[in-house]
Amino acid sequence: MGRHIFHIDLDAFFVSVEQVLNPRLKGKPVIVGGDPERRGVVAAASYQARPFGIHAGMPLSKARRLCPQAIFIQANFSRYRQASHKFMAILADFSPCIEPLGIDEAYLDVTGCEGHYGSFRQMALAIKERVHKELGLTASVGLATCKVVAKVASDLCKPDGLLEIAPGEERHFLSPLPVAKLPGVGKKTGQVLQEMGVVTIGELASLPLSMVKKHFGQFGVVIHRYANGIDDREVEAPGESKSISKQVTFAQDTLERHFLEANLHHLCQQVSTELRSQDKQASCVTLKLRYADFRTITRQTTLKPASNISQIIFAIALQLLDKAIVQSRKPIRLIGVKVSGLCGKEKQLGMFDSQREKLEHLDKAIDQIRSKYGAASIKAGKGISELNC
Ligand code: DCP
Ligand code: CA
């Protein structure tokens, strides 16, 4: 039996949350990001602001030049996080197989779930209705047999849309669209494809695989399959995660080493606590940095043996951060940590066994205190200098 997958994405998320709180903002060009007099970029723009050419990542000063009548408001992340949790909880009521993607989007594998609603379309409408009724937000939903087609579909029908791509129609649907619409095709890949004379997804799909592979290696195989509407990726529920990641966006871009270190420490604590709660160990640590100009880099290191010890993950991530700071002294907007290559507990033999054991006991004690008194009840220090890993 074929799969049925939804991609659901909230429209102009940050702005829409603000509009629910202040209905006078509805129907107006609204920009969340902050004060245009100060340095900063657009986080979200209402659909009324977009015809002026305003988009996320654009400097606020430029946004104001393009649309002087726009209303600028400060981002309030705790509000957005709260709305996001409620949104994900609504989705989880429709299918247990849910994969949150970002703060305001998720894949849902709804194969076999449509019976109660009559059809997948009716089911998608029911989701939209609940999101609107309970949160006051509009969502756009793409329905397809695989992730990539569902995502392109939801993007295409925004805002407040619903687009169903019938089984067998995947390639035909993607074919006329600009190649930049294909997930995975960023600026760089788009440029190379343009030089190859590829404008539409259909043209990419028609290229011989060997040619795409020659230009892009294994990644070429993936985008060629996507262009042909082929995508076998499962919708991965968080419980079965292959990775755990946490990130934080700063109110102001910074290069302040102690501030970055403290945030990194907190993120590493969060991912390692999550690892331990899943009884998993990670064999890879990835640091993600986004600079003020929105350029994003990732740096990773393999962990041998795999570990879920907070101090070890932090020590590795900190090394990566220090290297990155030396390489580029640009102010940082976002910092994130991902642990992947997850596996069950290994017998850890090695010269630092006794030290690791001590750290494991420490983490266990911290976990117990937190589970009893809450996450904020205890903070671990950053004493890593003696850790030799
Ligand atoms: N966001 C951000 N900085 C960016 C992009 C997005 O802070 N460069 C935040 C604000 C967005 C939210 O993430 O509201 C979700 O991002 P989306 O890309 O889904 O954009 P929107 O939801 O704002 O608009 P759309 O209706 O196009 O999905
Ligand atoms: Ca969105």
Side-chain angles (χ1 to χ4, degrees):
M1 190 178 65
R3 296 183 301 159
H4 292 272
I5 292 171
F6 289 1
H7 177 259
I8 307 133
D9 188 308
L10 296 173
D11 303 317
F13 179 47
F14 287 8
V15 168
S16 305
V17 171
E18 299 297 337
Q19 286 171 327
V20 171
L21 287 167
N22 180 1
R24 276 178 304 176
L25 296 173
K26 281 191 179 157
K28 295 185 180 155
V30 177
I31 290 166
V32 171
D35 182 352
E37 295 292 331
R38 298 177 56 179
R39 234 165 33 90
V41 292
V42 173
S46 69
Y47 277 79
Q48 289 75 22
R50 295 186 194 194
F52 295 89
I54 295 165
H55 57 78
M58 171 183 281
L60 290 169
S61 51
K62 183 169 179 191
R64 194 170 61 168
R65 265 201 315 280
L66 292 173
C67 182
Q69 68 273 39
I71 302 163
F72 289 83
I73 35 187
Q74 206 70 258
N76 185 328
F77 294 101
S78 63
R79 276 180 199 160
Y80 313 143
R81 262 196 303 275
Q82 217 180 354
S84 173
H85 285 145
K86 287 184 184 162
F87 169 58
M88 299 298 172
I90 292 174
L91 298 185
D93 280 348
F94 285 83
S95 165
C97 192
I98 169 176
E99 180 182 334
L101 268 189
I103 190 164
D104 76 331
E105 57 180 305
Y107 287 115
L108 215 55
D109 189 326
V110 294
T111 312
C113 299
E114 82 283 18
H116 177 67
Y117 305 93
S119 69
F120 290 111
R121 192 183 164 76
Q122 288 302 327
M123 184 177 178
L125 284 170
I127 292 177
K128 280 164 65 74
E129 197 180 304
R130 257 196 77 185
V131 169
H132 192 248
K133 210 165 140 193
E134 291 176 30
L135 303 178
L137 303 174
T138 60
S140 297
V141 188
L143 290 65
T145 56
C146 65
K147 280 179 163 181
V148 73
V149 177
K151 187 161 167 70
V152 174
S154 73
D155 183 44
L156 217 66
C157 67
K158 277 182 159 296
D160 201 12
L162 170 55
L163 185 55
E164 182 173 9
I165 309 304
E169 287 300 308
E170 295 82 3
R171 202 183 155 180
H172 186 236
F173 159 67
L174 294 174
S175 187
L177 302 174
V179 77
K181 286 269 175 210
L182 195 66
V185 175
K187 246 189 187 162
K188 235 166 140 182
T189 310
Q191 244 165 21
V192 179
L193 285 169
Q194 200 181 2
E195 283 158 21
M196 292 164 71
V198 172
V199 177
T200 64
I201 297 180
E203 285 164 358
L204 171 59
S206 302
L207 286 180
L209 176 60
S210 57
M211 191 178 187
V212 189
K213 209 171 164 183
K214 202 174 113 199
H215 278 86
F216 302 104
Q218 206 46 40
F219 172 66
V221 179
V222 175
I223 54 169
H224 191 261
R225 284 171 65 84
Y226 285 1
N228 279 285
I230 303 165
D231 178 7
D232 302 327
R233 288 173 303 158
E234 298 287 334
V235 173
E236 205 184 289
E240 309 154 10
S241 59
K242 294 190 178 115
S243 68
I244 298 168
S245 58
K246 298 278 173 203
Q247 61 183 40
V248 59
T249 304
F250 304 129
Q252 267 193 324
D253 310 330
T254 182
L255 244 182
E256 220 274 282
R257 170 71 168 63
H258 287 301
F259 179 75
L260 290 168
E261 183 182 340
N263 274 282
L264 188 64
H265 185 257
H266 184 59
L267 295 171
C268 291
Q269 288 267 331
Q270 286 182 309
V271 292
S272 53
T273 303
E274 179 87 36
L275 271 175
R276 294 193 295 276
S277 75
Q278 292 184 21
D279 217 9
K280 294 262 173 69
Q281 313 250 355
S283 53
C284 185
V285 177
T286 305
L287 173 80
K288 173 174 163 188
L289 296 177
R290 181 168 296 149
Y291 295 107
D293 61 2
F294 267 81
R295 197 170 71 89
T296 306
I297 62 151
T298 55
R299 298 285 180 266
Q300 65 181 55
T301 297
T302 307
L303 261 179
K304 266 188 195 156
S307 177
N308 59 17
I309 296 170
S310 306
Q311 295 281 47
I312 291 181
I313 290 168
F314 173 57
I316 298 288
L318 189 61
Q319 283 171 6
L320 294 172
L321 174 67
D322 281 334
K323 252 193 229 165
I325 289 179
V326 170
Q327 281 165 2
S328 170
R329 295 211 51 82
K330 281 201 243 162
I332 291 166
R333 170 185 163 87
L334 171 152
I335 186 167
V337 175
K338 179 171 88 174
V339 287
S340 55
L342 306 191
C343 51
K345 195 168 170 61
E346 290 174 10
K347 177 91 188 89
Q348 295 176 341
L349 290 174
M351 61 196 296
F352 305 115
D353 262 10
S354 63
Q355 198 173 8
R356 282 176 191 276
E357 228 164 73
K358 271 189 218 158
L359 292 171
E360 268 177 352
H361 284 313
L362 175 66
D363 278 342
K364 211 169 168 185
I366 291 173
D367 288 349
Q368 277 169 356
I369 293 170
R370 286 200 173 128
S371 75
K372 212 163 167 188
Y373 301 107
S377 58
I378 181 165
K379 291 217 182 334
K382 301 196 292 286
I384 53 151
S385 50
E386 73 280 23
L387 186 65
N388 196 355
C389 62

